[in-house]
Amino acid sequence: MGWARELHVVPSEVPTVLAPMPAAWECDLSDDSLRWTPGVFEIFGLPADRPVRRDEVVAMYSEESRAELKRLRDAAIATCGSFTFDAEIRRPDGEVRWMRVTADVEVRDGRPVYLYGLKQDITHLRREEG
């Protein structure tokens, strides 16, 4: 269905110098269902063997990041545009992570149907700043 399923993910035994690699995600706008490559599950600290619900995932974003996501997502869908931003999340284990989110809209017959893109863990960059 979407391009995310066709991606080949870098195996976990890759040298750490390559980590963290971007991970692909896709959201079906008809029902807000999500599809993730394994790297996105890793960023969020969620098991890859269970479905994820968008409302549960969005709740993991900090209040500021959640508001920015809503603003950017709504604008991208309305204009069939794209966005990039850095988001703060709190994983179920309590660890705070930062990720860079890029998104674009897939349009069919003039209608936005999918939001898709990449997520990359940038926590190490935030720690270096501090």
Side-chain angles (χ1 to χ4, degrees):
M1 186 176 222
W3 66 271
R5 276 189 282 174
E6 302 304 319
L7 276 178
H8 297 285
V9 179
V10 178
S12 60
E13 58 268 10
V14 169
T16 56
V17 71
L18 295 178
M21 297 295 291
W25 62 273
E26 178 179 85
C27 179
D28 184 331
L29 297 176
S30 69
D31 61 5
D32 272 346
S33 61
L34 299 174
R35 281 175 294 285
W36 290 354
T37 59
V40 180
F41 286 95
E42 172 61 31
I43 292 170
F44 281 89
L46 296 171
D49 62 347
R50 76 165 182 89
V52 289
R53 290 190 16 212
R54 186 173 182 279
D55 59 337
E56 292 173 348
V57 172
V58 171
M60 296 172 69
Y61 284 67
S62 69
E63 188 175 332
E64 280 183 13
S65 293
R66 193 168 38 250
E68 184 69 354
L69 173 63
K70 178 171 178 20
R71 183 183 73 74
L72 292 169
R73 183 180 193 271
D74 289 351
I77 292 168
T79 64
C80 296
S82 62
F83 64 87
T84 299
F85 85 114
D86 293 350
E88 180 184 34
I89 60 167
R90 182 171 303 275
R91 294 162 40 126
D93 64 5
E95 183 181 357
V96 172
R97 293 272 181 107
W98 282 89
M99 65 182 167
R100 181 150 300 138
V101 179
T102 62
D104 204 350
V105 176
E106 182 178 334
V107 179
R108 292 187 190 154
D109 299 323
R111 279 189 35 239
V113 291
Y114 288 99
L115 198 60
Y116 67 94
L118 300 173
K119 295 181 190 280
Q120 183 173 19
D121 191 328
I122 60 165
T123 304
H124 66 289
L125 297 176
R126 293 294 182 139
R127 288 184 181 144
E128 290 170 4
E129 292 173 1

